[in-house]
């Protein structure tokens, strides 16, 4: 475990389903992120939360809805996804002005059928 | 817009060889640069973090260098082992924290390394 825990590890969902990805960090960090990793593309930043406020939304479609109820938990709510949304979704956390950088979770492998 | 390029995209070497992975970035005003390792289907493991004021960092058989002015970093792996087989990702962070977007990491596509026994 890296200190950032993501569940579930794998998820298969239909295009009409609603599901949520969960991320929890045990590091006392004050910023959390969602990244998307598709085949043959660099990791793409989706959302940034700093001190529980969303500070970045990188033009992500509204079918992805983040939620950060406190500094330790981050959710990504999914609804009416498309097959091209199939990817590895990675959560990360960091501490402002820390030299230690980011810590990533193990990711959720999402398949949309 | 910051762009990160990693060369080569894939590399295959025999066990025991020393090797160098390259990373270049277009905007030299970075806060730090981080090298990660990713095993197939898994998340990212941080290997080395270099602050913009530093020239290099070392951890075991790994050494990362940073030439901020030329926009380049290298990851040197000594005496490679089959267990080093993975994808290595380079990422840069722009600016110290000053609000929206400052925490963002911009990633390269990675170098897929295979170490042959």
């Amino acid at each position: 475990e890296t200190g950032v825990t993501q569940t579930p590890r794998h998820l298969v969902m239909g295009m009409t389903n609603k599901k949520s990805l969960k991320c929890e960090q045990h590091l006392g960090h004050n910023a959390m992120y969602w990244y998307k990793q598709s085949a043959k593309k660099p990791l793409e930043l989706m959302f940034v939360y700093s001190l529980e406020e969303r500070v970045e939304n990188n033009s992500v479609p509204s079918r992805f809805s983040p939620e950060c109820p406190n500094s330790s938990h981050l959710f990504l709510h999914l609804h009416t996804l498309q097959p091209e949304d199939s990817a590895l979704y990675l959560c990360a956390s960091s501490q402002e002005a820390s030299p230690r950088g980011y810590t990533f979770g193990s990711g959720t492998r999402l398949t949309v059928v | 817009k910051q762009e990160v390029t990693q060369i080569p995209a894939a590399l295959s070497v025999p066990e025991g060889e020393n090797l160098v992975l390259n990373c270049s970035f277009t905007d030299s005003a970075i806060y730090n640069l981080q090298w990660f390792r990713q095993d197939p289907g898994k998340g990212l493991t941080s290997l080395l973090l270099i602050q913009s004021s530093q020239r290099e960092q070392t951890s075991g058989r790994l050494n990362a260098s940073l030439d901020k002015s030329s926009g380049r970093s290298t990851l040197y792996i000594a005496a490679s082992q089959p267990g080093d087989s993975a994808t290595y990702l380079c990422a840069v962070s722009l600016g110290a924290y000053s609000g929206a977007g400052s925490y963002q990491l911009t990633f390269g596509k990675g170098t897929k390394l295979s170490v042959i026994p």
Side-chain angles (χ1 to χ4, degrees):
Chain A
E1 288 296 335
T2 65
V4 178
T5 303
Q6 288 188 244
T7 56
R9 296 295 297 271
H10 301 272
L11 177 63
V12 179
M13 60 185 290
M15 289 190 284
T16 59
N17 291 159
K18 290 184 180 181
K19 297 287 184 183
S20 296
L21 309 185
K22 179 182 177 181
C23 177
E24 182 175 2
Q25 59 100 357
H26 316 278
L27 302 168
H29 288 169
N30 60 10
M32 297 186 76
Y33 314 78
W34 281 115
Y35 279 84
K36 175 183 178 182
Q37 187 176 36
S38 305
K40 299 182 180 180
K41 294 174 72 174
L43 271 79
E44 302 171 76
L45 178 67
M46 299 176 73
F47 301 105
V48 180
Y49 276 83
S50 174
L51 300 173
E52 303 159 38
E53 290 189 26
R54 189 192 310 180
V55 296
E56 187 75 14
N57 175 347
N58 238 15
S59 302
V60 179
S62 60
R63 57 186 182 269
F64 294 92
S65 175
E67 177 189 3
C68 187
N70 55 61
S71 61
S72 299
H73 293 86
L74 184 66
F75 295 90
L76 187 62
H77 303 300
L78 316 171
H79 64 98
T80 60
L81 295 191
Q82 304 298 313
E84 60 264 29
D85 296 322
S86 298
L88 182 68
Y89 288 85
L90 292 163
C91 173
S93 69
S94 71
Q95 181 64 29
E96 175 183 347
S98 165
R100 290 187 294 276
Y102 276 46
T103 302
F104 278 83
S106 298
T108 294
R109 172 66 64 184
L110 173 67
T111 302
V112 181
V113 297
Chain B
K1 180 185 173 185
Q2 176 75 276
E3 292 184 1
V4 179
T5 303
Q6 291 188 246
I7 296 173
L11 180 64
S12 183
V13 300
E15 182 177 4
E17 271 203 9
N18 303 324
L19 58 100
V20 175
L21 307 181
N22 297 292
C23 172
S24 61
F25 45 94
T26 53
D27 187 340
S28 62
I30 64 169
Y31 184 53
N32 60 43
L33 182 146
Q34 200 162 353
W35 282 93
F36 294 89
R37 168 188 172 137
Q38 186 175 31
D39 293 289
K42 301 292 180 62
L44 278 63
T45 301
S46 179
L47 297 174
L48 290 165
L49 170 71
I50 310 178
Q51 297 297 326
S52 61
S53 59
Q54 298 175 323
R55 297 282 295 181
E56 65 178 336
Q57 283 287 326
T58 298
S59 176
R61 295 183 292 109
L62 304 180
N63 176 277
S65 68
L66 175 64
D67 185 342
K68 186 179 163 185
S69 60
S70 67
R72 296 185 180 187
S73 175
T74 60
L75 179 66
Y76 175 81
I77 302 178
S80 58
Q81 302 171 358
D84 295 331
S85 298
T87 296
Y88 290 80
L89 296 162
C90 169
V92 297
S93 174
L94 276 177
Y97 173 68
S98 60
S102 295
Y103 288 143
Q104 290 188 41
L105 285 180
T106 301
F107 284 84
K109 292 184 179 180
T111 294
K112 185 176 182 180
L113 173 65
S114 298
V115 181
I116 312 302

